Amino acid sequence: MLAQFGYGILVVTFVVALYSVTAAVFGYFNKSASLVESARRSMLLTFPLLSVAALSLIILLVQGDFGVQFVYEVTSKSMPTYLKVTAWWGGQAGSLLFWSWLMSAFASLATLRKWDRDREFLPWVIVVANVTLAFFVALNIFFENPFARLYQTFDGNIAAYTFAPANSMPFAPADGRGLNPLLRHPGMVIHPPMLYLGFVAYVVPFAFAIAALVTGRTDDRWIRITRRWSLWAWLFLSFGLVLGGRWAYDVLGWGGYWGWDPVEIAAFMPWLTGTAFLHSVMIQEKRGMLKQWNMILIILTYALVIFGTFLTRSGVLSSVHAFAQSAIGPSFFIFIGFTFVTSVGLLIYRWADLKAEAEMKSMLSREALFLLNNLLFMSVLVVCFWGVIFPLISELATGQKVTVGPPFYERANSPLFAALMLLMGIAPLSAWGHSTVATLGRAIWKPGVFAVGITLLAYATYTHNVIALIGFFLVALVILVTLYEFWRGARARQKTQGESFFAALARLTGRNRRRYGGYFIHISMMLMAVGILGIELFQKETQGTVQAGGTMELHGYTLVYKDIAQWDDFASGVNYTRAVVQVYKGDQLLTELHPRTDYYYESQQNMTIPGVRSTIADDVYVLLVDWEPASAIGATFKVYVNPLVNWLWVGSLLFLMGVIIAAWPEEEREPSAVRAKQNAHQTSAAD
Amino acid sequence: MGRSKFILGGLFILAAVVYLIFSSTQSSAEYFLTVDEIKAKGDTVIDKSLRLSGAVIGDSIQYDPQTLTLTFEVAHVPGDNAEIEAQGGLAEVLRAAAADLTRQRITVVYVGPKPDLLRSEAQAIMTGHLGTDGIFYAEELLLKCPTKYEEAVPEQASGN
């Protein structure tokens, strides 16, 4: 009953969303405020409706109604309740519903804002949000119904149907298949929602951009309204990416965190355009330039978000050919094509209105360096996109399927990342409008000398690897330049306001959150870069089989295999095999590690949990690979030493703090057009 | 002067990116081949980076935990998706491939931990190269189990 009810609610939501779109369009063209208001209200209605549908699904999941196909696929009796709830996004049908639910929540939040000055945007924001919503709800209704039930027809076949077929009996298996054990990790429980929050939040700036294009109000109003939206979207997306990396490191047992597989890249691509967008909107706000470019970036981000949702969702992705396998594949491509062509059409229609108000003069001005930053992000995007579609291209061109692996991305992207780091070091010192080599040189030489000093120190004490040294130099340069900027700003305040240094530093950051939050993010990214350089360039590994009491050596560490134990946990249907390994450095016992293998009876799947000793210098990462079940005397281990990898996680946490600083609400200053114009003529480096 | 230096700079970046993409593509391209194609091409693909997909033959799996050397055979499965669909889907194709003794098979050697999902009728996707001895030396081994696919659900349900 509840399943049919939930499906019914989905259908109602679909109709309401379509009505809302229609009312908004007619309301706009007939200048009928009441029709637009009706559209707004029906938009607000979609959130409670989808909440009811979602609640129905959650109840089915928690109750364990295995007659519902989705419940059967993602839960089982032995799973704890919180995992049954989060199984909501553990499969395709459920996660599409989750997407729609978030979409309606964000759309409602956006429509609840004060619209006073921006009334004309409202109908088109509603149209974009609800067209997107209607598409995702339609996927649930027509292709991936999370409420479909299993039926057995008289010839014995069992399949899932939305409506009972003729001559059939409902079928309810005794237990479900359960969530893939690999996904039962806290990181994996919140990783997809974070990515989705990021994806969905990007729909809002896109909706305002389209509204600006349709209504012809092409000043920077849409950017100012959605500035905070794009920052939060970026925060969630970044957080989702980091969590995914951490999950891979903890669970997948290959000692790595990022494998350049198409699903990861799918989530990475909107992050790239989103990051470029964050930077380039500042040029439009300050200088009235790059208006067309910002439109292109947000349109691309939206398209990549939809594309990313599809890629991360279709699960069976090993090659581009998986697209065709999924029932929802063609619909996604049609939808992406439709929205993309429409947006680009609108952009071309308004192209002339989006002309820059100022001209870029100096190659070293802040805006030119921001433009370069954008070009580099787009280059990384092109590299990633090329890597993903290359198999398709080569097959069309030569008939031979050829693919490119991680070495491609690493080789092509490394110089681009290095250039981005160099920019991060230079750009904060440049001035809007005009900078010269001389002015920049005066600002950069002190941090530059220090960075060279640190690099020489690294050469003397740590490594002779050239790539690592270049990396360390850039990291040092960026961190020093950025700290120097904080120091310079705080000192200036200290002098003029007579505050203590730290009070001045806090006020400075508080007054200009986006700028100093951004610098904070730059520093955190450099810490992450240290971790990435460490694990990519200096990772050591060994493997071997040892007897109880035997030892293995790696990179100055001695590992002693003590013993192994095996036991069953009947309640959760898992068999644990746990080894005890002591880690020594010289004669000193550092710690005891417990690498494990969990065997899930239900899904007949192993899960390898590493034992990790984590310090700021390196991680000792031990995997239990195999053992002799009868005598329990010999066990096989794979051991990694991952230098500096913790800097990646520490940097990630600081990074998130930085985004929160930048995105934290502050009082909206009067953003009138006059002010924007004034800014356009200012060329001070201070702002 | 003003405009042209930006255009020049842009062209320079464009050229650099195009160079990076093409040189990296060439140096890291992997050729997708089926077992039949590898057998047919033989010596001509030695030393090239290859990506091979096949159905695992359960009886052939041998693992030496001392050296971490894993040896097994894979049977030919079609590379073309439409063909797989026409033959009843991936699960069915893998089952047929593992059972069919007349299919071409190739021996695979992989050094490393034995993957949890390695079992009969699993789809193995391997990256590596073909040795002069006709053995495929895999550097990377990825496994997919047909039972994990959603399409296999109803059958499993009826089996319970």
Side-chain angles (χ1 to χ4, degrees), chain A residues 629-685:
Chain A
S631 56
I633 47 162
T636 307
F637 296 96
K638 180 148 191 156
V639 185
Y640 294 93
V641 173
N642 296 329
L644 304 175
V645 69
N646 256 314
W647 291 62
L648 176 59
W649 311 123
V650 172
S652 312
L653 283 178
L654 291 174
F655 173 92
L656 299 175
M657 263 176 61
V659 188
I660 292 174
I661 292 176
W664 201 258
E666 54 192 323
E667 259 175 67
E668 199 180 359
R669 290 185 218 141
E670 194 49 41
S672 66
V674 183
R675 194 192 148 82
K677 284 268 159 54
Q678 271 172 358
N679 277 333
H681 297 290
Q682 262 171 17
T683 54
S684 98

Side-chain angles (χ1 to χ4, degrees), chain A residues 23 43 59 101 125 135 147 156 162 201 231 253 258 296 354 366 475 487 516 519 530 547 569 576 578 591 612 643:
Chain A
M43 166 117 142
I59 291 173
W101 181 71
V125 171
F135 168 69
F147 298 105
T162 300
L231 264 176
W258 181 263
I296 293 175
L354 291 163
R366 180 74 70 88
V475 166
W487 183 79
Y516 288 99
Y519 286 165
V530 170
Q547 309 276 301
D569 177 353
Y576 296 100
R578 198 184 78 152
T591 187
V612 184

Side-chain angles (χ1 to χ4, degrees), chain A residues 422-664:
Chain A
L422 186 63
L423 263 189
M424 259 191 244
I426 298 172
L429 300 171
S430 66
W432 293 105
H434 192 70
S435 288
T436 63
V437 176
T439 58
L440 265 182
R442 262 201 302 282
I444 210 171
W445 78 268
K446 276 186 233 163
V449 166
F450 270 106
V452 170
I454 289 172
T455 313
L456 289 175
L457 193 70
Y459 179 80
T461 59
Y462 198 80
T463 177
H464 290 187
N465 183 320
V466 179
I467 296 172
L469 288 171
I470 295 174
F472 288 148
F473 168 74
L474 290 169
V475 166
L477 182 73
V478 174
I479 292 182
L480 288 166
V481 163
T482 316
L483 289 178
Y484 179 59
E485 275 294 288
F486 272 107
W487 183 79
R488 218 167 54 157
R491 285 292 292 202
R493 244 193 105 85
Q494 198 183 0
K495 279 197 191 117
T496 55
Q497 311 281 328
E499 296 163 342
S500 77
F501 179 75
F502 289 102
L505 192 64
R507 294 260 165 75
L508 178 79
T509 312
R511 281 292 159 78
N512 204 337
R513 293 214 181 101
R514 180 162 58 162
R515 181 164 183 219
Y516 288 99
Y519 286 165
F520 200 89
I521 293 169
H522 284 181
I523 293 181
S524 327
M525 297 221 75
M526 289 306 100
L527 299 183
M528 293 169 75
V530 170
I532 292 168
L533 285 168
I535 191 170
E536 292 294 333
L537 297 173
F538 304 124
Q539 185 178 53
K540 303 272 187 302
E541 59 173 277
T542 186
Q543 51 197 19
T545 303
V546 284
Q547 309 276 301
T551 61
M552 291 172 80
E553 306 270 343
L554 182 63
H555 202 58
Y557 291 100
T558 307
L559 290 95
V560 182
Y561 166 46
K562 301 303 280 188
D563 65 57
I564 198 161
Q566 196 167 14
W567 70 93
D568 270 317
D569 177 353
F570 291 108
S572 48
V574 185
N575 177 275
Y576 296 100
T577 308
R578 198 184 78 152
V580 179
V581 176
Q582 290 178 333
V583 183
Y584 286 89
K585 186 141 202 171
D587 289 335
Q588 194 198 348
L589 174 64
L590 298 175
T591 187
E592 202 174 82
L593 297 178
H594 304 120
R596 288 201 330 254
T597 299
D598 301 352
Y599 180 75
Y600 287 77
Y601 287 111
E602 206 170 74
S603 48
Q604 299 171 23
Q605 192 176 338
N606 270 323
M607 190 166 160
T608 308
I609 315 276
V612 184
R613 175 185 185 263
S614 219
T615 67
I616 201 73
D618 55 22
D619 273 16
V620 180
Y621 184 103
V622 183
L623 293 166
L624 173 63
V625 174
D626 204 2
W627 63 93
E628 300 293 327
S631 56
I633 47 162
T636 307
F637 296 96
K638 180 148 191 156
V639 185
Y640 294 93
V641 173
N642 296 329
L644 304 175
V645 69
N646 256 314
W647 291 62
L648 176 59
W649 311 123
V650 172
S652 312
L653 283 178
L654 291 174
F655 173 92
L656 299 175
M657 263 176 61
V659 188
I660 292 174
I661 292 176
W664 201 258

Side-chain angles (χ1 to χ4, degrees), chain A residues 102-237:
Chain A
L102 286 178
M103 181 71 240
S104 68
F106 281 6
S108 301
L109 265 179
T111 42
L112 283 172
R113 70 184 295 279
K114 276 185 255 151
W115 283 91
D116 323 332
R117 278 178 307 200
D118 319 306
R119 273 264 148 216
E120 71 257 47
F121 284 159
L122 179 60
W124 295 101
V125 171
I126 293 175
V127 168
V128 174
N130 270 337
V131 164
T132 311
L133 183 66
F135 168 69
F136 277 92
V137 175
L139 288 179
N140 265 152
I141 295 178
F142 298 113
F143 300 107
E144 292 283 344
N145 177 10
F147 298 105
R149 298 192 64 93
L150 295 169
Y151 289 97
Q152 186 163 32
T153 44
F154 73 100
D155 53 3
N157 287 329
I158 297 166
Y161 296 96
T162 300
F163 302 104
N167 299 322
S168 70
M169 294 272 290
F171 179 81
D175 197 357
R177 283 163 64 208
L179 198 62
N180 187 332
L182 288 175
L183 302 180
R184 299 181 191 184
H185 176 273
M188 213 48 193
V189 169
I190 44 175
H191 162 73
M194 283 300 144
L195 272 188
Y196 276 21
L197 276 169
F199 281 176
V200 176
Y202 266 122
V203 177
V204 176
F206 172 74
F208 276 89
I210 294 300
L213 284 178
V214 176
T215 57
R217 193 173 159 188
T218 49
D219 60 358
D220 60 4
R221 186 67 194 144
W222 71 272
I223 283 178
R224 289 180 182 274
I225 296 172
T226 59
R227 180 154 82 189
R228 200 135 283 121
W229 277 102
S230 11
L231 264 176
W232 286 109
W234 195 66
L235 169 72
F236 289 127
L237 199 51

Side-chain angles (χ1 to χ4, degrees), chain A residues 137-399:
Chain A
V137 175
L139 288 179
N140 265 152
I141 295 178
F142 298 113
F143 300 107
E144 292 283 344
N145 177 10
F147 298 105
R149 298 192 64 93
L150 295 169
Y151 289 97
Q152 186 163 32
T153 44
F154 73 100
D155 53 3
N157 287 329
I158 297 166
Y161 296 96
T162 300
F163 302 104
N167 299 322
S168 70
M169 294 272 290
F171 179 81
D175 197 357
R177 283 163 64 208
L179 198 62
N180 187 332
L182 288 175
L183 302 180
R184 299 181 191 184
H185 176 273
M188 213 48 193
V189 169
I190 44 175
H191 162 73
M194 283 300 144
L195 272 188
Y196 276 21
L197 276 169
F199 281 176
V200 176
Y202 266 122
V203 177
V204 176
F206 172 74
F208 276 89
I210 294 300
L213 284 178
V214 176
T215 57
R217 193 173 159 188
T218 49
D219 60 358
D220 60 4
R221 186 67 194 144
W222 71 272
I223 283 178
R224 289 180 182 274
I225 296 172
T226 59
R227 180 154 82 189
R228 200 135 283 121
W229 277 102
S230 11
L231 264 176
W232 286 109
W234 195 66
L235 169 72
F236 289 127
L237 199 51
S238 311
F239 194 32
L241 287 168
V242 168
L243 277 175
R246 181 72 212 198
W247 168 74
Y249 190 72
D250 283 350
V251 171
L252 292 188
W254 46 279
Y257 55 93
W258 181 263
W260 293 106
D261 97 31
V263 175
E264 290 168 333
I265 294 171
F268 187 50
M269 287 196 295
W271 187 88
L272 288 169
T273 50
T275 313
F277 181 71
L278 280 182
H279 289 92
S280 73
V281 291
M282 289 186 238
I283 310 180
Q284 179 164 352
E285 287 177 31
K286 302 276 188 210
R287 306 276 290 151
M289 290 186 269
L290 297 189
K291 292 178 182 176
Q292 297 143 340
W293 178 241
N294 285 329
M295 284 290 175
I296 293 175
L297 280 180
I298 197 68
I299 290 169
L300 268 180
T301 306
Y302 176 80
L304 288 171
V305 156
I306 306 289
F307 185 61
T309 310
F310 168 56
L311 273 195
T312 50
R313 211 39 276 169
S314 56
V316 284
L317 216 163
S318 63
S319 75
V320 279
H321 292 267
F323 294 150
Q325 270 176 359
S326 166
I328 58 177
S331 336
F332 260 102
F333 277 104
I334 292 168
F335 183 73
I336 293 172
F338 162 73
T339 51
F340 191 74
V341 168
T342 313
S343 323
V344 171
L346 274 170
L347 177 60
I348 292 169
Y349 175 65
R350 294 285 180 201
W351 192 256
D353 299 342
L354 291 163
K355 273 235 288 282
E357 293 161 27
E359 203 182 322
M360 217 169 266
K361 292 199 185 71
S362 159
M363 285 274 257
L364 291 172
S365 63
R366 180 74 70 88
E367 56 268 36
L369 293 179
F370 267 3
L371 180 64
L372 186 56
N373 143 307
N374 268 237
L375 289 178
L376 287 169
F377 273 112
M378 295 313 281
S379 306
V380 177
L381 177 75
V382 170
V383 167
C384 291
F385 193 69
W386 173 260
V388 174
I389 62 161
F390 181 66
L392 198 68
I393 295 177
S394 76
E395 196 174 5
L396 285 176
T398 64

Side-chain angles (χ1 to χ4, degrees), chain A residues 158 401 403 408 411 543 545 636, chain B residues 23-24 28 30 32 65 68 154:
Chain A
I158 297 166
K401 244 196 274 185
T403 176
F408 163 77
R411 192 177 177 282
Q543 51 197 19
T545 303
T636 307
Chain B
S23 66
S24 306
S28 66
E30 288 166 1
F32 269 102
L68 300 187

